[in-house]
Amino acid sequence: MTTSSPRSALAALLALALAAFVQPLAAKTLKIATVSPDGSAWMKVLRAAAADVDAATEGRVKFKLYPGGVMGDDAQVLRKIRIRQLHGGIVTTTVFGDIYPDVQIYNLPMAFRSLDEVDAVRKALDPLLVAGLAEKGFVAFGIAEVGMAYPMSTKPARTVADARKLKVWLPQGDAPAARLLEAFRIAPTPLTIGEVRIGLQTGLIDTVAAPPVATVPLLWHTRLKYVLDLPLMYIYGLFVVSESNLHGIDAADREAMLRIMGEATAVADRRNRADHDAARRTLANQGLEFIRLTPAELDDWRGYVDKAPERWVEVGMISKPMYTKLIEVLAEIRSRGVERTIGTAPQ
């Protein structure tokens, strides 16, 4: 009977340790939910990116997608992220109102007068918002434009006084939208996104404010007749995952995932901008009438929201430094005097 020498025993232990070290890491599947319909442009981009991540990480990082609101609305998605039923989601900014309020900065009512202003502000502030979310424990792959929310109704309305007679939808739990309608002294009807179409069918509501690119796939436009050509609020989504849910992904795989999903979010952002005009044309082709405001009527609408930024700062919906940064960028772009207008009725 022979016995192993201390040296051979040590070599065997090192070999076992090395074998364990080089074993492939277990696959990490990230569950991502969104209200975006399956088959939408955004979902097609996301599915392609998920396949690219799978290939780039040799199957170590995978994405399982839950589109169409099957995991609930944005607030429910965030709750499920927190209890780890989901790893992340594509959600609107309002769900972060209590976590990182500054991410709502672009929601300020009637803050932008042109697409150039939107682009200039986002170039300056997007990195700050992504960094702010990281401090709160969320990794943001990026910010994707949905578009400007326009009032659309079954009845014509040109003035704020007209709008007060309508049955206006308020997205349930949407604090920025609630503040906007409060500024106009409009008493809204809160509903979830899933309840809007039924609300229009039954007459519970007769007016929504939403981007055309969202209105068309949700088929709300089939129940509407008029579009007030007045961009009330810039709507955008955040593609986020909880930092705690990324544990176990090594540095190289994480870098590949961030790069690929960041590029995908940027593609969706650009595509939504391009789809904006097409969606407006669809509304016009479906027979919706675009109502253009006179300069005096436009000034009247703006007069009601002039003090909105100050109120948002006062109640903590945005911080003073972030608002100051927004104003600085807007002042600089407006000094150039060259703008692409946001609202132009389709020809």
Side-chain angles (χ1 to χ4, degrees):
M1 179 176 180
T2 60
T3 58
S4 301
S5 68
R7 181 174 295 178
S8 62
L10 177 61
L13 288 173
L14 289 174
L16 287 172
L18 180 61
F21 178 77
V22 298
Q23 283 181 353
L25 295 172
K28 181 81 171 183
T29 300
L30 300 177
K31 299 177 181 179
I32 308 296
T34 175
V35 298
S36 295
D38 202 8
S40 65
W42 179 214
M43 288 308 303
K44 291 176 182 178
V45 170
L46 191 57
R47 290 192 187 282
D52 289 343
V53 171
D54 191 341
T57 63
E58 298 180 343
R60 291 183 295 274
V61 181
K62 298 176 179 291
F63 282 81
K64 184 173 178 60
L65 307 175
Y66 298 90
V70 296
M71 285 291 179
D73 61 19
D74 289 349
Q76 292 171 316
V77 167
L78 183 61
R79 283 195 294 271
K80 290 177 180 178
I81 293 172
R82 285 176 153 173
I83 62 176
R84 300 199 174 194
Q85 287 184 1
L86 291 170
H87 298 92
I90 302 166
V91 296
T92 53
T93 55
T94 57
V95 297
F96 284 96
D98 294 329
I99 301 172
Y100 178 50
D102 273 346
V103 82
Q104 303 171 119
I105 185 69
Y106 305 152
N107 288 143
L108 274 167
M110 300 180 68
F112 301 106
R113 300 177 184 174
S114 73
L115 296 175
D116 287 318
E117 290 184 359
V118 171
D119 295 340
V121 167
R122 285 196 51 191
K123 182 178 180 180
L125 270 59
D126 273 13
L128 302 180
L129 300 182
V130 169
L133 285 166
E135 291 179 0
K136 299 299 182 180
F138 290 88
V139 175
F141 294 123
I143 298 173
E145 176 176 295
V146 179
M148 285 290 176
Y150 292 85
M152 307 181 198
S153 182
T154 62
K155 302 174 183 178
R158 301 184 64 90
T159 67
V160 176
D162 292 337
R164 290 176 185 154
K165 301 173 185 177
L166 301 174
K167 301 174 184 177
V168 180
W169 168 56
L170 170 66
Q172 191 164 290
D174 191 328
R179 288 276 175 180
L180 171 66
L181 296 175
E182 179 184 305
F184 295 128
R185 299 199 294 275
I186 293 173
T189 300
L191 297 173
T192 65
I193 289 179
E195 296 170 325
V196 170
R197 193 176 177 194
I198 295 175
L200 289 170
Q201 290 173 342
T202 61
L204 179 62
I205 57 173
D206 56 28
T207 304
V208 302
V213 293
T215 305
V216 172
L218 291 169
L219 301 179
W220 296 351
H221 66 297
T222 61
R223 296 286 172 175
L224 300 166
K225 296 180 180 180
Y226 301 93
V227 181
L228 186 62
D229 211 5
L230 175 70
L232 290 177
M233 182 182 289
Y234 183 65
I235 308 298
Y236 49 108
L238 308 170
F239 185 4
V240 298
V241 293
S242 173
E243 173 66 47
S244 62
N245 286 326
L246 297 183
H247 293 169
I249 299 177
D250 72 15
D253 288 346
R254 180 179 175 127
E255 181 180 352
M257 176 189 65
L258 290 172
R259 174 180 54 81
I260 293 169
M261 284 302 178
E263 291 171 354
T265 306
V267 168
D269 185 42
R270 293 191 298 271
R271 184 168 294 181
N272 279 343
R273 172 68 62 83
D275 288 346
H276 172 79
D277 290 339
R280 285 171 61 89
R281 286 193 295 273
T282 297
L283 296 180
N285 292 339
Q286 289 291 323
L288 275 72
E289 179 184 339
F290 280 74
I291 300 173
R292 299 297 303 275
L293 297 180
T294 66
E297 289 169 337
L298 179 57
D299 287 343
D300 182 52
W301 281 89
R302 285 179 173 163
Y304 283 93
V305 298
D306 280 347
K307 300 296 182 182
E310 296 175 11
R311 297 192 189 99
W312 282 37
V313 171
E314 288 173 2
V315 301
M317 287 182 65
I318 55 174
S319 69
K320 182 68 172 179
M322 188 64 73
Y323 176 60
T324 300
K325 182 66 175 176
L326 171 72
I327 293 302
E328 289 173 352
V329 179
L330 285 176
E332 195 279 330
I333 189 67
R334 287 173 184 174
S335 70
R336 300 179 193 174
V338 179
E339 299 179 344
R340 292 170 292 157
T341 57
I342 293 174
T344 303
Q347 299 299 316

